[in-house]
């Protein structure tokens, strides 16, 4: 089947876009401080928290990369199994959520600074910018795919328009407006995905016909991938989630610990419904559209579903992509202002200036993210790069703050530096020649350095303390 644009879908996209814009403008009027902009005034209830956590995590990374691209490129089983790392990550976050809430910081760099010192904060800010700008870039691409399917414009032109939309909405209301739109989008997309499955199977001619139309490797357990290749896709997801600043900010933005637990539990339920459904729809799309960009799999299905269902689904996917882009742009800008600008350039910065500078910086980072779309050939490739930079450079040291109290300042800083350098070195020199993602090397090395340096320096630190008593 040839993919053709479906002009009627654009009205659903435009309609929901107007709704998001109006909601953003409404909530922007409630912003008086930088805390309101970045942490929604620490006022999120359990339903909104659940929705914003789900929408942040299941954004373009899932509906154009992640489960979507894996199901299209390698088959249904590798995609279904990719939900497991996310579940493991969320369960871990659930266990330490009260500790995260207790810290109450704007950025993870501020948490790291308490344990490892000022240099760790600066390094974390650099890593966050490198990773989050990459994540934003494929949100632009995802929205570009949607505009291409619904209007017939090229994905490249759609990406430019998508970048403008996401940057603009990110500047309006921050987390105060992103969180409520996330909640609406989360429930809307779950409904759209679940309703779309039986209809998509019918359009595909039934399950037997769908299986007959895909390559034989797409029905195998591994999809033709080796164990190391599978881990190369799964581990970046796990280690980004375990340390994702966006997740930590949303937990901090909840109104109390009870809300945090309920919201996180709801997030687990939503993930169990959403991600396997995305995998299934992308697999069906592979049988219908064998020659499209893998990132367009689920989006392409909206063009052959009944207009009402396809329209609701494409509007919900648009919302997921836009709000995820908003979140990561906001988070990257927050890191620059709080962890770099306010500490090293303008130390006397006041709260109003933080708010203004954050809004000014968002378009700058947005332009950099757009330029990054020209470097990486696919959504999945930039996704793995961004996840690994963060997962190796920050997550081991950050988790140690909560789970490994013996960790030393030297160990945390050494782990962060090692994780970042090994990731970048492998990405630029070895990924193409080996076919193995950098996470297979960089994350284990970062963890080993964390443990080994702690073992050597903890005894020395203990001896010094005893000597001064």
């Amino acid at each position: 089947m040839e993919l053709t644009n479906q002009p009627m879908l654009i009205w659903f996209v435009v309609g929901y876009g107007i709704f998001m814009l109006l909601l953003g403008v409404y909530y922007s009027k409630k912003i008086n401080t930088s805390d309101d902009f970045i942490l929604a005034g620490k006022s999120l209830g359990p339903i909104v928290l659940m929705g914003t956590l789900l929408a942040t995590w299941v954004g373009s990374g899932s509906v154009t990369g992640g489960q979507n691209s894996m199901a299209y490129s390698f088959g249904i089983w590798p995609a279904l199994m990719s939900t497991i790392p996310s579940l493991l990550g969320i369960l871990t976050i659930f266990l330490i959520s009260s500790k995260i809430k207790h810290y109450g910081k704007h950025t993870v760099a501020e948490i790291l600074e308490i344990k490892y010192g000022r240099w760790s904060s600066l390094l974390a800010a650099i890593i966050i910018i490198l990773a989050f700008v990459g994540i934003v870039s494929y949100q632009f691409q995802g929205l570009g795919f949607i505009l291409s399917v619904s209007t017939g414009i090229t994905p490249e032109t759609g990406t430019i328009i998508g970048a403008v939309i996401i940057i603009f909405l990110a500047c309006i209301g921050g987390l105060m407006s992103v969180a409520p739109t996330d909640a609406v989008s989360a429930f809307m997309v779950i409904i759209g995905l679940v309703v779309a499955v039986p209809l998509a199977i019918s359009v595909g001619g039934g399950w037997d016909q769908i299986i007959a139309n895909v390559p034989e490797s797409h029905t195998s357990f591994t999809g033709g991938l080796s164990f190391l290749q599978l881990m190369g896709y799964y581990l970046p997801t796990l280690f980004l989630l375990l340390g994702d600043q966006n997740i930590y900010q949303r937990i901090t933005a909840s109104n109390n610990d009870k809300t945090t637990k309920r919201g996180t539990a709801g997030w687990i339920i939503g993930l169990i419904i959403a991600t396997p459904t995305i995998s299934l729809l992308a697999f069906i799309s592979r049988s219908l559209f064998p020659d499209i960009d893998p990132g367009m799999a689920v989006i392409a299905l909206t063009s052959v579903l009944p207009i009402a269902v396809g329209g609701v689904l494409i509007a919900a996917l648009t919302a997921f992509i836009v709000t995820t882009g908003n979140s990561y742009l906001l988070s990257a800008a927050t890191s620059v202002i709080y962890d770099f600008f306010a500490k090293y350039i303008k130390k006397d910065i006041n709260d109003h200036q933080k708010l203004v500078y954050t809004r000014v910086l968002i378009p700058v980072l947005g332009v950099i993210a757009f330029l990054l779309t020209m470097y990486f050939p696919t959504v999945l490739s930039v996704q793995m790069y961004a996840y690994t930079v963060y997962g190796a450079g920050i997550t081991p040291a950050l988790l140690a703050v909560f789970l490994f109290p013996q960790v030393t300042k030297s160990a945390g800083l050494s782990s962060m530096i090692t994780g970042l350098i090994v990731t970048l070195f492998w990405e630029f020199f070895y990924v193409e020649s080996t076919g193995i993602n950098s996470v297979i090397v960089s994350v284990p090395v970062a963890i080993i350095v964390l443990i080994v340096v702690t073992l050597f320096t903890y005894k020395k630190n203990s001896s010094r303390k005893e000597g001064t008593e």
Side-chain angles (χ1 to χ4, degrees):
M1 184 181 293
E2 186 178 347
L3 176 61
T4 57
N5 66 295
Q6 178 54 267
M8 282 296 294
L9 294 176
I10 191 61
W11 296 109
F12 289 87
V13 176
V14 170
Y16 200 73
I18 292 172
F19 168 73
M20 291 176 68
L21 178 61
L22 292 175
L23 201 62
V25 171
Y26 171 76
Y27 279 101
S28 70
K29 295 178 180 179
K30 297 186 176 186
I31 295 174
N32 297 308
T33 67
S34 60
D35 258 11
D36 292 338
F37 190 73
I38 296 164
L39 297 177
K42 298 185 178 180
S43 62
L44 302 186
I47 300 299
V48 174
L49 180 62
M50 183 207 79
T52 192
L53 286 170
L54 180 62
T56 298
W57 188 243
V58 188
S60 187
S62 293
V63 300
T64 60
Q67 289 81 20
N68 172 86
S69 289
M70 288 198 73
Y72 188 93
S73 301
F74 307 117
I76 186 65
W77 288 110
L80 289 174
M81 290 190 295
S82 69
T83 300
I84 297 174
S86 291
L87 288 175
L88 293 175
I90 297 173
L91 288 172
T92 304
I93 292 292
F94 180 85
L95 294 175
I96 64 173
S97 59
S98 295
K99 295 180 180 180
I100 296 171
K101 174 71 176 170
H102 173 73
Y103 269 86
K105 298 299 182 181
H106 296 87
T107 68
V108 297
E110 292 176 323
I111 297 175
L112 291 167
E113 184 173 3
I114 294 173
K115 185 71 175 181
Y116 305 121
R118 199 167 190 176
W119 284 109
S120 68
S121 173
L122 178 59
L123 182 58
I126 294 171
I127 294 170
I128 287 168
I129 295 165
L130 285 172
F132 284 9
V133 168
I135 292 173
V136 170
S137 72
Y138 61 77
Q139 312 305 318
F140 294 167
Q141 289 176 293
L143 192 50
F145 290 154
I146 284 177
L147 294 174
S148 176
V149 168
S150 58
T151 66
I153 62 175
T154 65
E156 292 76 17
T157 302
T159 298
I160 295 173
I161 298 172
V164 173
I165 293 171
I166 289 174
I167 291 169
F168 177 71
L169 289 174
C171 288
I172 293 179
L175 190 59
M176 184 69 81
S177 63
V178 168
T181 56
D182 276 356
V184 174
S185 302
F187 290 110
M188 188 174 173
V189 82
I190 286 175
I191 293 171
L193 287 170
V194 171
V195 172
V197 168
L199 295 172
I201 293 174
S202 176
V203 170
W207 190 250
D208 289 341
Q209 184 62 46
I210 291 168
I211 294 293
N213 288 345
V214 301
E216 187 176 345
S217 63
H218 280 47
T219 58
S220 68
F221 190 68
T222 64
L225 297 172
S226 68
F227 175 77
L228 285 181
Q229 287 173 322
L230 283 171
M231 291 301 102
Y233 288 117
Y234 296 160
L235 292 181
T237 300
L238 173 61
F239 279 87
L240 173 66
L241 177 53
L242 287 171
D244 191 344
Q245 178 166 278
N246 272 292
I247 304 303
Y248 281 58
Q249 285 176 330
R250 279 155 174 73
I251 288 173
T252 301
S254 66
N255 54 29
N256 56 56
D257 282 341
K258 192 174 183 181
T259 291
T260 301
K261 296 293 186 185
R262 288 180 175 178
T264 308
W267 179 21
I268 293 173
I269 295 171
L271 186 84
I272 291 173
I273 297 172
T275 52
T277 309
I278 290 170
S279 302
L280 188 56
L281 289 173
F283 182 72
I284 295 169
S285 183
R286 177 65 176 82
S287 73
L288 294 172
F289 307 106
D291 299 316
I292 61 173
D293 186 305
M296 296 183 72
V298 172
I299 295 170
L301 269 184
T302 62
S303 67
V304 296
L305 293 173
I307 289 296
V309 176
V312 169
L313 183 57
I314 202 169
L317 295 177
T318 300
F320 258 19
I321 290 169
V322 170
T323 54
T324 302
N326 292 347
S327 298
Y328 280 95
L329 259 182
L330 173 63
S331 198
T334 302
S335 286
V336 174
I337 299 302
Y338 278 78
D339 301 322
F340 180 72
F341 190 80
K343 289 181 179 179
Y344 300 101
I345 297 177
K346 188 174 176 59
K347 297 181 180 180
D348 60 343
I349 189 172
N350 60 42
D351 187 77
H352 177 69
Q353 288 172 327
K354 287 180 179 178
L355 177 58
V356 172
Y357 291 157
T358 301
R359 278 177 158 156
V360 169
L361 187 61
I362 285 172
V364 176
L365 295 177
V367 170
I368 297 172
F370 172 75
L371 294 176
L372 205 59
T373 64
M374 303 175 186
Y375 179 79
F376 288 92
T378 66
V379 169
L380 198 58
S381 62
V382 68
Q383 183 182 7
M384 292 302 103
Y385 151 77
Y387 283 20
T388 303
V389 165
Y390 194 99
I394 287 182
T395 300
L398 181 62
L399 281 180
V401 173
F402 303 104
L403 303 175
F404 187 30
Q406 294 84 2
V407 68
T408 63
K409 177 179 177 180
S410 300
L413 193 56
S414 299
S415 175
M416 292 173 68
I417 293 171
T418 303
L420 175 61
I421 291 175
V422 173
T423 297
L424 294 177
F425 187 79
W426 193 272
E427 284 289 333
F428 286 112
F429 297 108
Y430 287 105
V431 166
E432 288 189 11
S433 61
T434 63
I436 297 174
N437 286 334
S438 55
V439 68
I440 298 297
V441 179
S442 58
V443 168
V445 170
I447 294 173
I448 290 170
V449 167
L450 184 80
I451 295 171
V452 171
V453 176
T454 294
L455 292 175
F456 277 97
T457 57
Y458 183 72
K459 293 180 180 179
K460 291 182 180 179
N461 291 345
S462 299
S463 300
R464 287 173 184 171
K465 288 180 181 179
E466 291 174 2
T468 57
E469 291 178 356

